[in-house]
Amino acid sequence: MNNFVIGIESTAHTFGVGLCTVDGKIIEDFSSHFVPEKGGIHPREASEHHTKIASNILKKALEMVNELNGKIIGIGFSQGPGLGPCLRVGATIARAIASYLNVPLYGVHHGVAHIEIGKKLSNARDPLVVLVSGGHTVITALEEGRYRIFGETLDISLGNLIDMFMREAGYPSPAGALCEKLAKESNEITDLPYIVKGTDLSFSGILTAAVRKLRNGTSIKVLCRSIQEVSFSMLTEVTERALVHTGKNEILLVGGVAANKRLKEMLRIMAQDHNASFHTIDKWNGDNGAMIAWVTALLLQFGSPLDVNKSFVKPLWRLDEVDIPWKG
Ligand code: AMP
Ligand code: MG
């Protein structure tokens, strides 16, 4: 009989249930994404989507456990950071299953999950990690039991910059893939503010300037290309500085924005200049349940369970506040 853990993701637009054997040999994801008709992700609307879809998704995961003659021995959920109403859907379901099955409950940090699934699926061992998603833009590495942050955004995330700009142009979120496609259709670049402060980044000035240029008639294709070139160059610069500072010889790119080919190209070229290897993953870069299940399996082995009565969600949980009980 296979011993499984279940991981529930519900920080923002995705409701996902992941399955993982405790040794990480079988790993699967059942996810559903909330797509707003227009505009950004409204927390209440997204949480309603999660509530509606949850039983269906959960059923698929439980059926798979049955088919594989498995047994569930632990439940994890994204405890934060994220949108409060969305986080509470996942937390409530996780608590209910943990109590019903009488198995331990684990709180997973969403950013740690993006990183750990990246490490598992790429062959990076001790990388400098670039985590770029809707919620995070950080350059980090595991040092003495915590993900230490060597650089991060001072305002909005890179994913938000792209999505908020695209929204101004009339495209619903997430629109990173569309931005990448439009960027490829332009050879021209227009000036946008390049803001690096030490090892930190600021993207809000780019957004303001790009929106102003859009309203003044600059083509969306030129603006998509320019936003990518400027913001990705900024990110590559601070990653290079962190690489030299930490002396690491691997770079791992994870999170939803890691799907972008131009970003991968820039980081790969910079890594080569420093004789470092570049790693990323194709599957499970966007939000999913599998990454939560995998960290639940790690926590089952190395961490401690949560007391159900104290399993509150943490919408503002920082990556560098999380104790990491495993090495490498
Ligand atoms: P996550 O929160 O990890 O699911 O990441 C979602 C973010 O990734 C959103 O801001 C998307 O717009 C962004 N994203 C997805 N695909 C791409 C892409 N090809 N280029 C840039 N950003 C992307
Ligand atoms: Mg994410």
Side-chain angles (χ1 to χ4, degrees):
M1 181 178 280
N2 283 312
N3 283 335
F4 281 94
V5 294
I6 280 189
I8 299 178
E9 161 59 30
S10 74
T11 54
H13 50 79
T14 302
F15 181 84
V17 177
L19 263 188
C20 181
T21 46
V22 287
D23 54 5
K25 281 214 179 89
I26 302 173
I27 181 159
E28 201 39 85
D29 175 56
F30 302 91
S31 283
S32 164
H33 309 281
F34 167 68
V35 183
E37 267 170 38
K38 69 179 199 347
I41 297 160
H42 190 292
R44 182 178 40 75
E45 288 174 9
S47 71
E48 282 168 9
H49 159 268
H50 298 350
T51 309
K52 237 180 255 165
I53 207 83
S55 63
N56 214 339
I57 302 265
L58 192 59
K59 189 163 164 253
K60 285 187 196 160
L62 296 178
E63 277 169 5
M64 186 170 168
V65 175
N66 267 342
E67 278 163 25
L68 295 170
N69 188 26
K71 185 178 168 210
I72 295 163
I73 63 163
I75 310 282
F77 68 102
S78 317
Q79 199 175 2
L83 307 171
C86 298
L87 286 169
R88 283 190 283 277
V89 177
T92 306
I93 294 169
R95 286 182 203 119
I97 304 173
S99 305
Y100 177 68
L101 295 178
N102 194 23
V103 295
L105 178 70
Y106 295 92
V108 175
H109 185 283
H110 178 87
V112 170
H114 272 301
I115 297 171
E116 293 300 335
I117 195 80
K119 279 198 203 166
K120 178 171 171 56
L121 299 182
S122 72
N123 46 9
R125 296 175 64 84
D126 178 25
L128 179 69
V129 181
V130 181
L131 167 58
V132 277
S133 64
H136 284 98
T137 302
V138 294
I139 295 107
T140 180
L142 185 55
E143 301 280 351
E144 294 176 16
R146 291 232 169 154
Y147 277 102
R148 311 287 164 175
I149 294 177
F150 297 101
E152 64 184 317
T153 180
L154 297 169
D155 41 52
I156 54 175
S157 72
L158 182 51
N160 271 173
L161 162 64
I162 294 171
D163 289 343
M164 287 163 88
F165 170 73
M166 293 302 279
R167 231 137 67 201
E168 285 292 330
Y171 301 105
S173 298
L178 179 63
C179 176
E180 179 171 15
K181 181 175 170 282
L182 294 175
K184 276 196 206 118
E185 293 170 17
S186 166
N187 296 318
E188 223 181 289
I189 288 192
T190 182
D191 276 350
L192 291 173
Y194 184 105
I195 307 167
V196 168
K197 298 185 180 179
T199 53
D200 290 330
L201 304 152
S202 163
F203 297 116
S204 59
I206 300 182
L207 178 63
T208 310
V211 169
R212 193 178 302 135
K213 288 196 172 200
L214 181 74
R215 289 186 187 149
N216 287 340
T218 306
S219 121
I220 172 114
K221 293 178 183 175
V222 172
L223 285 166
C224 285
R225 168 128 200 253
S226 309
I227 287 172
Q228 288 199 170
E229 291 304 305
V230 173
S231 64
F232 297 174
S233 301
M234 287 162 50
L235 186 66
T236 305
E237 179 190 329
V238 297
T239 306
E240 182 170 27
R241 212 170 293 154
L243 186 73
V244 173
H245 174 72
T246 56
K248 302 271 181 204
N249 54 22
E250 298 167 312
I251 293 176
L252 172 64
L253 174 66
V254 288
V257 187
N260 192 290
K261 290 206 176 69
R262 180 64 180 133
L263 177 58
K264 288 192 256 203
E265 183 185 22
M266 279 197 200
L267 288 171
R268 186 177 283 121
I269 291 170
M270 184 274 284
Q272 275 165 0
D273 283 348
H274 292 272
N275 292 323
S277 54
F278 175 75
H279 307 257
T280 189
I281 53 177
D282 296 326
K283 200 178 175 190
W284 295 336
N285 252 329
D287 292 351
N288 63 82
M291 66 185 193
I292 308 300
W294 170 233
V295 175
T296 304
L298 290 171
L299 287 170
L300 186 87
Q301 194 179 344
F302 300 102
S304 340
L306 287 176
D307 178 344
V308 173
N309 296 319
K310 293 183 187 152
S311 59
F312 310 113
V313 298
K314 300 178 179 178
L316 299 175
W317 202 8
R318 273 183 65 86
L319 178 67
D320 53 1
E321 287 170 356
V322 188
D323 288 320
I324 305 294
W326 55 84
K327 287 208 169 73

